[in-house]
Amino acid sequence: MAKKTKPGQSQLRFLRLFLAGDEPNSALARKNLERIVKQNSIDPSLVEVVDVYEDHRTALDNKVLLTPTLLIGLPGSVTRVVGNLQDVDSLIHQIEAA
């Protein structure tokens, strides 16, 4: 029998949000991601927030040139979402598409 998973966790490996300090769009993206994680029972340990002001090397290693950018790690691929994550329905769909 297949193991049942919570919404948003079927194949999700990580959510990595790159932001620029407390800039308005970065702060909004962080708030929206926190709400999405909470409302959709996503394991918070899968979420990483990277401030490019403090850790620019990780951003460069992940080829992130714009903030805020969310990387959704899925088996065999990484999906990028650029912006403040206000389109919650679209973001949830991308996470659950795994």
Side-chain angles (χ1 to χ4, degrees):
M1 178 176 227
K3 180 180 172 185
K4 292 194 178 214
T5 57
K6 296 177 182 177
Q9 290 187 306
S10 58
Q11 300 288 322
L12 183 63
R13 291 192 177 164
F14 66 84
L15 295 171
R16 186 172 299 136
L17 178 62
F18 290 86
L19 45 78
D22 289 327
E23 296 296 323
N25 275 334
S26 291
L28 184 56
R30 180 189 299 243
K31 180 180 173 184
N32 286 334
L33 181 59
E34 288 171 355
R35 184 172 42 124
I36 290 165
V37 167
K38 184 176 181 178
Q39 290 177 349
N40 292 280
S41 301
I42 296 171
D43 184 351
S45 70
L46 299 176
V47 179
E48 177 185 2
V49 176
V50 179
D51 185 337
V52 299
Y53 291 154
E54 296 175 9
D55 185 5
H56 67 278
R57 173 54 49 201
T58 300
L60 293 174
D61 289 347
N62 285 274
K63 298 179 175 97
V64 172
L65 303 175
L66 299 170
T67 60
T69 294
L70 177 67
L71 301 183
I72 304 169
L74 305 170
S77 71
V78 174
T79 299
R80 293 173 183 269
V81 178
V82 178
N84 59 23
L85 311 179
Q86 280 191 298
D87 188 352
V88 174
D89 292 334
S90 175
L91 183 57
I92 291 169
H93 176 71
Q94 289 178 342
I95 291 170
E96 291 180 345

